[in-house]
Amino acid sequence: MKKDPNCAYSQKGNLLNAFGYEVGELKVSTVILFCEQSHRGIVIVAYKDHISEMVDISDAERDLYFKEVNQVAESLHKLYQPDKVNYGAYGDDGSHLHFHLVP
Ligand SMILES: [Zn+2]
């Protein structure tokens, strides 16, 4: 898997630390606690590989990824009891598949 040298989710280290802290390594994703905590518990769940589109991974890999997004959401519900968790997947600033979870 080729790694984009400008992608924080692929390179991690200083690029990632500029906006978040890696707090968990799951089977196909990394959990990143967002520095900006205007809503307590904001995290990012980034897919393990530098993939842009969810249609570009196998059904099994996508099922596993969404299972992990759900596991993180369950943790947010337990920790923060939000009325709602919002989910966002944007690629304006790079194309690595990832979801923002905002309690
Ligand atoms: Zn990447």
Side-chain angles (χ1 to χ4, degrees):
M1 184 61 51
K2 87 178 166 70
K3 289 190 169 188
D4 181 331
N6 299 312
C7 176
Y9 303 114
S10 292
Q11 298 300 326
K12 301 186 176 174
N14 289 339
L15 281 177
L16 185 65
N17 295 339
F19 62 85
Y21 301 98
E22 193 176 334
V23 293
E25 193 70 50
L26 304 177
K27 204 166 185 179
V28 298
S29 64
T30 302
V31 184
I32 298 146
L33 183 66
F34 211 47
C35 291
E36 192 276 293
Q37 288 285 304
S38 56
H39 294 79
R40 278 187 73 203
I42 296 178
V43 293
I44 295 164
V45 183
Y47 190 67
K48 65 181 173 69
D49 296 326
H50 190 80
I51 294 291
S52 173
E53 304 300 315
M54 67 173 85
V55 298
D56 291 337
I57 55 179
S58 71
D59 289 349
E61 291 274 276
R62 188 171 44 256
D63 287 351
L64 200 47
Y65 177 56
F66 276 96
K67 185 178 175 187
E68 292 179 357
V69 170
N70 186 67
Q71 284 174 341
V72 174
E74 283 178 344
S75 297
L76 294 178
H77 279 284
K78 279 184 191 151
L79 284 167
Y80 303 108
Q81 293 92 41
D83 295 330
K84 170 85 181 85
V85 172
N86 288 326
Y87 301 85
Y90 311 100
D92 308 334
D93 217 16
S95 59
H96 192 122
L97 179 60
H98 67 283
F99 271 79
H100 296 259
L101 277 60
V102 184

